[in-house]
Amino acid sequence: MLLALSLGLTAAAANVLGGFFIVRRDWSRQYLKYFLALGAGFMLAAAFLEVIPESIRLAGRSAPFLVLVGYFLVHFFEHTLAPHFHFGEETHTEEMAPQHASYAALLGLVIHTFFDGVAIASGFLISTWLGGVIFLAVFLHKLPEGFTVASFMLASGQSRRVAFGASALLGAATVVGVLLMSLLHREVGYALPISAGVTVYVAATDLVPEVNREPGVRMALVVFLGVALMLALQRLFHM
Ligand SMILES: [Zn+2]
Ligand SMILES: [Zn+2]
């Protein structure tokens, strides 16, 4: 669990670093897009090849339903409560009702990042391999996640300080997820399949549309690179 906690802290630090991209205008944001694409491919491969099968072994016939619950949990908090939310840089200031819209989006992302932490801890409760895979899946989308929230807060008229604080809050929610799950380790049969659903939503519904907005094939190819990375790790460590 110490390993889960230190990796949870690493993921949280990536959230904060992502938030820095909005404060530091001179940092190139091109790299964030590659993390987004790589993360999407890796997360989907990890969810379908490792986390969902393990969830079924653990929770049996209730696993598919819990995966669905996880999926729609994010849909509800990120997109139903906050009507205008997308991953990446926020440029549609005119569509956003100031202040309360940004807090609704922040709440949605806090719930999602809480499950990022729950997922890491749940993985380590099963095996170091699964925990490592889930950590990588979380880590790869943490930079764009921190950037997204900071950008969203700025676009709704918040100060840079609040925007940066929001990315730190996402990091904190991830750590709380790890800590809570290490206390409630008996509930891993619920937490793992719900985390799988959360992962599928974030990858397929939040990240892939952002990837597809990019012109050209390069970003789409990077998604396959994410899938290939997962397959390569399986061959190396988990045959
Ligand atoms: Zn927008
Ligand atoms: Zn996340």
Side-chain angles (χ1 to χ4, degrees):
M1 270 300 108
L2 206 64
L3 183 59
L5 186 61
S6 54
L7 292 180
L9 283 167
T10 308
N15 266 158
V16 177
L17 189 64
F20 253 127
F21 273 83
I22 209 81
V23 188
R24 291 286 202 134
R25 290 196 166 272
D26 48 323
W27 290 6
S28 169
R29 292 163 186 189
Q30 195 55 39
Y31 297 107
L32 291 175
K33 292 181 183 164
Y34 292 115
F35 273 106
L36 210 124
L38 196 68
F42 188 85
M43 286 169 89
L44 280 175
F48 285 113
L49 299 178
E50 292 292 336
V51 189
I52 292 175
E54 197 61 60
S55 298
I56 291 167
R57 266 193 288 279
L58 207 64
R61 296 188 61 182
S62 62
F65 178 72
L66 291 168
V67 173
L68 196 67
V69 167
Y71 185 92
F72 283 111
L73 198 73
V74 187
H75 184 69
F76 179 76
F77 282 104
E78 269 186 11
H79 297 266
T80 314
L81 274 191
H84 181 97
F85 174 78
H86 55 86
F87 235 85
E89 181 156 25
E90 183 50 72
T91 49
H92 313 117
T93 39
E94 71 286 350
E95 285 173 38
M96 300 176 57
Q99 307 286 328
H100 90 271
S102 65
Y103 290 123
L106 181 61
L107 174 69
L109 270 171
V110 163
I111 307 264
H112 147 189
T113 48
F114 168 76
F115 275 100
D116 285 342
V118 168
I120 293 173
S122 302
F124 278 104
L125 285 170
I126 305 297
S127 67
T128 310
W129 156 252
L130 190 66
V133 163
I134 294 177
F135 163 71
L136 208 55
V138 168
F139 182 75
L140 284 174
H141 78 275
K142 277 292 185 192
L143 281 181
E145 191 172 271
F147 178 75
T148 295
V149 75
S151 150
F152 205 96
M153 297 308 271
L154 271 191
S156 65
Q158 305 281 7
S159 68
R160 272 165 191 273
R161 219 177 128 144
V162 172
F164 181 64
S167 65
L169 188 66
L170 295 194
T174 308
V175 176
V176 169
V178 174
L179 289 175
L180 193 74
M181 204 50 224
S182 35
L183 291 176
L184 302 175
H185 51 88
R186 287 207 193 110
E187 314 301 327
V188 70
Y190 296 98
L192 194 70
I194 291 176
S195 304
V198 170
T199 306
V200 170
Y201 192 94
V202 172
T205 313
D206 280 338
L207 305 185
V208 168
E210 287 302 308
V211 171
N212 292 347
R213 274 166 21 139
E214 290 292 310
V217 293
R218 202 197 279 183
M219 289 287 279
L221 284 174
V222 177
V223 176
F224 286 115
L225 204 64
V227 178
L229 177 64
M230 179 64 220
L231 294 174
L233 287 180
Q234 267 191 326
R235 299 234 152 224
L236 279 172
F237 299 110
H238 200 63
M239 278 311 277

